[in-house]
Amino acid sequence: MTTTRTFEALVDEAVAAPVEGWDFSWFEGRATEERPSWGYARVMGERLAHASAALDIQTGGGEVLASAPALPPLTVATEGWPPNVAKATALLHPRGAVVVACPEDAPLPFADAAFDLVTSRHPVTTYWSEIARVLRPGGTYFSQQVGPASVFELVEHFLGPQPEDVRNGRHPDRARAAAEAAGFDVVDLRAERLRMEFHDIGAVVHFLLKVIWMVPGFTVDRYGTELRTLHERIEAKGPFVAHSARFLIEARRTRRRA
């Protein structure tokens, strides 16, 4: 939709909106994104229903894990950002799940072979050796991840053209190679590009404040010129279109270690 609200009003509203957790309901009517065909949350729920001990890494506010109809007898989630830790704890403790505050780049604070299932939706980085360590032989890692050049139409509006090594830094083929090097057999690997639309500049601002790795160091003051240019473009031409990249990877830990 095209809005008649001012640039300043849209930006101020977006800045004031809370960014913790992975609840994207704020974007309703303001931005859209196609969903991958494989239905990560549904399939994750199926995997959890057959697990005895599960770990969800970088759980955010716990929303995706909490959507599962049933959780294993032992369910643990890790999260590194304090506001998300608090939100995930409130959401998951009533389900019997434990939330552990753990920096994303730190070793996992669990014993070897503690879990038979590890899940993660949109991890910033996948530490394959640590996942292999905490998984039992024959255990499974199941994850939906951000793929190469995701939303780069927007990223490059702010940062300019990006080099090819940056554009391809999250390629699913690299994930396969890293998994195999850590002692996994990749049993499923699928990738899709999905249409996104931003209907007003507030949606852009809120997205960049919430998904902080898109434009590192983003602030309204720092990128005021680019924001106003994009606002004028949306007002004149309609929604700004970008494309997200997603891939699904399922890998089974073999008995041999790399």
Side-chain angles (χ1 to χ4, degrees), residues 15 56 100 114 157 189:
V15 170
D56 191 52
V100 177
H157 173 80
L189 183 62

Side-chain angles (χ1 to χ4, degrees), residues 8 18 39 41 43-44 81 100 120 125 128 153 159 162 184 190 195 203 205 211 216 220 245-246:
E8 290 78 10
V43 181
M44 179 201 68
W81 192 42
V100 177
S120 189
T125 303
W128 288 102
E153 298 94 336
L159 300 181
Q162 298 295 291
F184 286 87
R190 289 179 264 172
R195 182 182 176 93
V205 170
V211 190
V220 169
R246 301 286 181 264

Side-chain angles (χ1 to χ4, degrees), residues 27 154-155 158 203-215 218 227:
F27 290 99
L154 187 63
V155 170
F158 291 91
V204 172
V205 170
H206 188 61
F207 178 78
L208 294 178
L209 290 172
K210 192 175 184 74
V211 190
I212 57 176
W213 52 87
M214 285 286 140
V215 179
F218 172 82
L227 286 169

Side-chain angles (χ1 to χ4, degrees), residues 4 14 18 24 43 50 59 61 63 71 87 101 122 135 147 151 168 195 198 213 219 221 228:
T4 57
F24 284 80
V43 181
H50 293 93
T59 198
E63 298 90 348
L71 297 179
K87 186 171 184 179
H122 300 178
L135 269 174
V151 204
N168 291 315
R195 182 182 176 93
F198 295 89
W213 52 87
T219 66
D221 289 340
R228 191 170 290 276

Side-chain angles (χ1 to χ4, degrees), residues 163-224:
E164 283 304 306
D165 63 327
V166 174
R167 296 181 66 87
N168 291 315
R170 301 181 67 94
H171 199 283
D173 288 347
R174 294 189 179 186
R176 179 193 292 276
E180 291 174 347
F184 286 87
D185 288 333
V186 176
V187 298
D188 194 4
L189 183 62
R190 289 179 264 172
E192 294 180 359
R193 292 194 70 81
L194 306 152
R195 182 182 176 93
M196 300 178 69
E197 293 185 358
F198 295 89
H199 292 263
D200 66 58
I201 199 62
V204 172
V205 170
H206 188 61
F207 178 78
L208 294 178
L209 290 172
K210 192 175 184 74
V211 190
I212 57 176
W213 52 87
M214 285 286 140
V215 179
F218 172 82
T219 66
V220 169
D221 289 340
R222 183 176 181 180
Y223 290 100

Side-chain angles (χ1 to χ4, degrees), residues 32-108:
T32 60
E33 180 181 356
E34 289 182 295
R35 296 302 180 202
S37 62
W38 48 75
Y40 173 77
R42 174 184 56 79
V43 181
M44 179 201 68
E46 294 171 357
R47 300 293 186 273
L48 287 166
H50 293 93
S52 60
L55 168 65
D56 191 52
I57 296 175
Q58 298 178 33
T59 198
E63 298 90 348
V64 179
L65 181 59
S67 73
L71 297 179
L74 174 62
T75 301
V76 182
T78 64
E79 174 55 33
W81 192 42
N84 275 350
V85 172
K87 186 171 184 179
T89 298
L91 192 59
L92 292 170
H93 270 200
R95 298 286 308 275
V98 176
V99 178
V100 177
C102 177
E104 293 169 356
D105 58 351
L108 293 170

